[in-house]
Amino acid sequence: MPKITLLPHHEICPEGAEVELQSGQNLCKGLLEKGFKIEHACEMSKACTTCHVIVRKGFNSLDEMDDIEADLLDRAWGLEPDSRLSCQVQIEDTDLVVEIPKYTINHASENH
């Protein structure tokens, strides 16, 4: 099973974490099942960017994103070349290192 390393995030996992997820599993769903409260305001329907992650290691092992995901990511806070929507990432056999950005554009969670 691939190992997913989460880099420290001030709220979700301050110390960072390592979990194993099944190959073929959805990254967002897998992290939620392991108890990580990653945002997913659209309930993983590919309609927002709140589940935005940056794949620091293993990015090239992932399926290519489609045009809808690419267009949505243009609106994400802290967009980087290795950004993905975690609700669209299917884990393969490669270990991943994932960073959850400090902010999202979800005003409800940012207390605006």
Side-chain angles (χ1 to χ4, degrees), residues 36-89:
F36 298 99
K37 295 181 179 173
I38 190 163
E39 289 195 51
H40 55 289
C42 72
E43 296 300 319
M44 297 175 265
S45 65
K46 196 165 56 170
C48 75
T49 64
T50 59
C51 71
H52 168 226
V53 296
I54 303 162
V55 182
R56 296 288 183 200
K57 179 182 171 197
F59 182 84
N60 290 332
S61 72
L62 304 175
D63 286 342
E64 200 170 311
M65 74 178 79
D66 63 19
D67 290 341
I68 296 170
E69 181 181 359
D71 289 344
L72 283 168
L73 279 170
D74 283 341
R75 303 178 203 157
W77 184 90
L79 180 67
E80 295 195 18
D82 296 336
S83 289
R84 291 294 303 263
L85 297 180
S86 64
C87 72
Q88 298 304 302
V89 171

Side-chain angles (χ1 to χ4, degrees), residues 6-17 36:
L6 291 175
L7 297 177
H9 181 277
H10 68 288
E11 291 177 358
I12 296 172
C13 55
E15 304 297 319
F36 298 99

